[in-house]
């Protein structure tokens, strides 16, 4: 009896176990899958983030490029080892870059809420810089990609990171002062003067009012420190070594006190656009000397204004365009000599002047200059940019462009600069031949081939010129310039030129 009971209970236990296992294998109704759906209100490429009412679009590009005859990659050979035009100068520079865009948009009762991010991963080939310390033994040091000493290095850049809501833009974006094409009216070359840029973004707090019919106005407070200051020179701190590089004094910028204030009005129509921009810029210097007891010059506000015009679909062909801009600055020179350009120039070349070792073109851009015990003297600049784009067919296009900008110091500022320049570099023509004013210009042509959509090969050829205003035939006596291997000798002051060729392949996605 006990044996039968055990058999019965064991059989029951097995049946329950088997039944449980079979029940576990039965299909269970799965949760509904949330598929990504197209978000049509904001155009092609936007999709709803699953489970939200927010739309997102991913984009970017991969770019590979080579620049011939420049050590700066993004600018002409106009300073440092590039301007030296000797064995330390690079014949070419290479760069590879991946860009990532993240654009999100949400409809709200206050209008569209948008966030936008653009980051770049960049590898730029390094270069060798002269580092000789004696007249006997020269040496060079390697500067790695984007300032990294490691040959395997690279860099991460954040160009744009902003929020737009209710007419406000908060974060890092293109300056409201800049033309819609920033400093690219028809070109890829970065070193065009003649207007503002901030193509890599500047921190700002902006309100934009939309009046309809394509008319908008923006009012902005934006960071001035990284993008919109050239030099505030304390001429009392000038050195012969600095003067030889185009630095007419010790750079004496104080801490940040006020943002740049921008006002802009823009009209967008089918024929093109017109834009007027104004910027106010506070020049805040540090001290006359090493200690705060030495005193300081009072702040001076500078300003800049720019007019921009774009004409679309000109009669030469479908999609052709003309882009123009003109700018005038007083104490706000970065709105002309934009942030991707050099602010000091030292370009060497040949000479036929007896007794001179070589020729040299010098130029320096500042927002203001002063000497110990005196106030700031604001620097005036003016210039323009122009570009014409022509489409030969759906695959080939050409752009021609030009830019010109001039730097002018008032009589008091010239007295300060020449008071250091003439004795510091033994200018042969003396004070009568001393004039630090100069102009800088560039002209170029670019041809693009797009064999398939979103893949473009470009060749951009640029000719740049520095025209100085020191008396013809003047010489200066330079000390040894160890970083560019230039010997202590007499040099003729003379206009200089440079040729640059950029080759680029870019795949947008």
């Amino acid at each position: 009896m006990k044996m039968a009971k055990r058999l019965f209970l064991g059989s029951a236990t097995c049946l329950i176990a088997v039944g449980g296992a079979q029940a576990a294998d039965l299909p269970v109704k799965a949760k509904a899958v949330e598929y990504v759906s197209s978000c049509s209100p904001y155009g092609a490429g936007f999709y709803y983030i699953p489970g939200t009412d927010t739309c997102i679009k991913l984009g970017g590009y991969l770019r590979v490029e080579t620049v011939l005859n420049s050590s700066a990659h993004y600018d002409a050979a106009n300073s440092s080892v590039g301007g030296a035009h000797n064995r330390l100068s690079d014949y070419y520079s290479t760069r590879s870059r991946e860009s990532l865009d993240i654009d999100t948009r949400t409809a709200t009762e206050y209008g569209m809420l948008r966030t936008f991010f653009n980051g770049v991963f960049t590898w730029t080939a390094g270069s060798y810089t002269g580092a000789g310390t004696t007249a006997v033994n020269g040496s060079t040091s390697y500067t790695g990609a984007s300032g990294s000493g490691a040959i395997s290095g690279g860099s991460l850049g954040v160009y744009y990171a902003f929020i737009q809501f209710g007419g406000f833009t908060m974060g890092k974006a293109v300056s409201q002062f800049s033309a819609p094409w920033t400093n690219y009216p028809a070109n890829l070359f970065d070193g065009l003067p003649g207007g503002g840029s901030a193509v890599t973004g500047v921190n700002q707090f902006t309100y934009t009012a939309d009046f309809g019919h394509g008319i908008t106005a923006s009012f902005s407070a934006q960071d001035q420190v990284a993008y919109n200051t050239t030099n505030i020179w304390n001429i009392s701190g000038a050195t012969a070594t600095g003067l030889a590089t185009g630095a007419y004094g010790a750079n004496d910028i104080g801490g940040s006190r006020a943002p740049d204030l921008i006002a802009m009005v823009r009209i967008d129509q089918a024929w093109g656009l017109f834009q007027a921009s104004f910027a106010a810029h506070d020049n805040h210097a540090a001290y006359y000397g090493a200690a705060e007891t030495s005193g300081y010059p009072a702040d001076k506000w500078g300003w800049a204004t720019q007019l921009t015009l774009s004409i679309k679909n000109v009669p030469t062909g479908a999609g052709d365009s003309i882009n123009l801009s003109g700018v005038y600055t007083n104490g706000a020179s970065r709105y002309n000599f934009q942030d991707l350009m050099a602010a000091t120039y030292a370009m060497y070349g040949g000479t036929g002047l007896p007794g001179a070792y070589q020729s040299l073109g010098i130029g320096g851009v500042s927002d203001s200059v002063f000497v110990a015990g005196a106030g700031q003297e604001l620097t005036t600049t003016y210039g323009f940019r122009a570009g014409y784009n022509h489409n030969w067919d759906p695959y080939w296009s050409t752009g021609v462009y030009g830019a010109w900008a001039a730097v002018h110091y008032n009589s008091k500022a010239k007295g300060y600069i020449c008071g250091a320049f003439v004795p510091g570099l033994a200018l042969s023509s003396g004070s009568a031949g001393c004039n630090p004013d100069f102009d800088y210009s560039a002209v170029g042509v670019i041809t693009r081939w797009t064999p398939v959509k979103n893949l473009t090969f470009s060749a951009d050829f640029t000719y740049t010129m520095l025209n100085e205003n020191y008396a013809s035939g003047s010489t200066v006596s330079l000390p040894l310039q160890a970083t560019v291997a230039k010997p202590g000798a007499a040099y003729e002051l003379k206009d200089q030129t440079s040729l640059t060729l950029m080759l680029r392949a870019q795949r947008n996605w």
Side-chain angles (χ1 to χ4, degrees):
M1 188 68 182
K2 288 183 178 180
M3 180 64 69
K5 186 177 180 179
R6 289 174 182 171
L7 289 172
F8 175 76
L9 291 175
S11 300
T13 301
C14 291
L15 289 171
I16 292 171
V18 171
Q22 290 176 339
D25 292 337
L26 291 175
V28 178
K29 186 176 182 180
K31 295 179 66 175
V33 177
E34 293 185 86
Y35 292 98
V36 176
S37 58
S38 177
C39 179
S40 57
Y42 303 116
F46 280 93
Y47 296 89
Y48 283 102
I49 299 174
T52 75
D53 59 354
T54 297
C55 300
I56 187 170
K57 180 180 181 179
L58 301 178
Y61 61 79
L62 195 146
R63 173 189 298 170
V64 179
E65 61 191 15
T66 297
V67 175
L68 304 181
N69 196 39
S70 178
S71 296
H73 191 85
Y74 52 82
D75 203 355
N78 52 33
S79 62
S80 189
V81 293
H85 295 120
N86 61 15
R87 292 182 64 83
L88 300 180
S89 306
D90 293 318
Y91 282 180
Y92 68 93
S93 175
T94 61
R95 172 178 291 174
S96 298
R97 171 175 290 168
E98 169 70 23
S99 173
L100 172 64
D101 297 342
I102 305 174
D103 191 346
T104 71
R105 306 187 189 191
T106 306
T108 75
E109 59 183 306
Y110 301 99
M112 181 182 66
L113 167 60
R114 182 192 186 197
T115 67
F116 186 82
F117 170 83
N118 171 251
V120 294
F121 306 86
T122 304
W123 165 262
T124 304
S127 61
Y128 288 93
T129 302
T133 56
T134 71
V136 178
N137 298 315
S139 64
T140 54
S141 62
Y142 181 80
T143 301
S146 303
S148 170
I151 294 178
S152 61
S155 66
L156 170 66
V158 176
Y159 284 1
Y160 309 126
F162 60 83
I163 299 171
Q164 289 181 319
F165 179 67
F168 291 94
T169 299
M170 300 159 281
K172 199 167 187 280
V174 173
S175 171
Q176 303 301 315
F177 185 91
S178 298
W181 52 86
T182 59
N183 54 311
Y184 308 106
N187 53 294
L188 296 178
F189 177 70
D190 286 303
L192 289 191
S197 175
V199 67
T200 58
V202 56
N203 282 332
Q204 61 189 267
F205 183 84
T206 298
Y207 176 73
T208 300
D210 190 340
F211 300 103
H213 305 290
I215 302 173
T216 58
S218 295
F219 305 92
S220 180
Q222 70 179 36
D223 178 31
Q224 66 153 257
V225 177
Y227 288 88
N228 298 318
T229 300
T230 55
N231 299 290
I232 297 178
W233 276 325
N234 183 344
I235 307 299
S236 300
T239 65
T241 300
L243 291 168
T245 66
Y248 290 138
N251 208 353
D252 208 358
I253 301 172
S256 60
R257 287 297 182 272
D260 283 10
L261 304 176
I262 312 293
M264 182 270 285
V265 176
R266 178 170 160 177
I267 302 173
D268 280 282
Q269 302 292 331
W271 54 264
L273 67 88
F274 172 79
Q275 178 176 303
S277 309
F278 178 85
H281 173 83
D282 179 35
N283 291 288
H284 178 74
Y287 297 100
Y288 291 132
E292 61 184 34
T293 53
S294 62
Y296 55 86
D299 286 20
K300 269 194 175 183
W301 281 83
W303 56 274
T305 186
Q306 178 176 266
L307 297 178
T308 298
L309 176 67
S310 179
I311 303 174
K312 300 178 182 178
N313 297 318
V314 294
T316 54
D320 290 6
S321 63
I322 297 174
N323 298 320
L324 306 166
S325 65
V327 65
Y328 187 97
T329 77
N330 183 244
S333 300
R334 266 298 179 223
Y335 291 100
N336 187 356
F337 287 80
Q338 41 89 8
D339 53 275
L340 295 181
M341 296 184 63
T344 56
Y345 300 90
M347 302 173 67
Y348 291 84
T351 182
L353 189 68
Y357 172 69
Q358 288 181 341
S359 64
L360 171 65
I362 297 178
V365 185
S366 65
D367 292 336
S368 70
V369 302
F370 65 91
V371 294
Q376 298 185 67
E377 298 298 323
L378 300 183
T379 305
T380 298
T381 78
Y382 38 89
F384 71 89
R385 293 184 187 132
Y388 166 64
N389 294 285
H390 174 63
N391 295 288
W392 300 100
D393 57 37
Y395 308 102
W396 290 90
S397 66
T398 296
V400 292
Y401 57 90
W404 175 88
V407 176
H408 176 75
Y409 293 95
N410 65 31
S411 58
K412 187 174 289 188
K414 285 176 179 172
Y416 295 160
I417 294 172
C418 291
F421 191 87
V422 172
L425 296 183
L427 179 66
S428 63
S429 56
S431 296
C434 179
N435 185 352
D437 294 351
F438 75 98
D439 60 83
Y440 185 85
S441 56
V443 293
V445 58
I446 179 172
T447 296
R448 312 173 189 90
W449 176 47
T450 305
V452 297
K453 185 178 180 180
N454 294 328
L455 175 65
T456 301
F457 299 91
S458 306
D460 190 353
F461 180 81
T462 310
Y463 179 68
T464 56
M465 297 154 280
L466 186 151
N467 299 313
E468 49 86 33
N469 282 281
Y470 294 99
S472 178
S474 296
T475 63
V476 290
S477 297
L478 301 189
L480 168 67
Q481 303 289 299
T483 57
V484 292
K486 294 298 181 182
Y491 292 79
E492 178 191 8
L493 291 179
K494 185 179 178 182
D495 298 346
Q496 303 293 334
T497 63
S498 179
L499 297 172
T500 304
L501 175 63
M502 174 183 283
L503 303 174
R504 175 183 291 177
Q506 181 166 318
R507 166 74 159 98
N508 296 330
W509 57 276

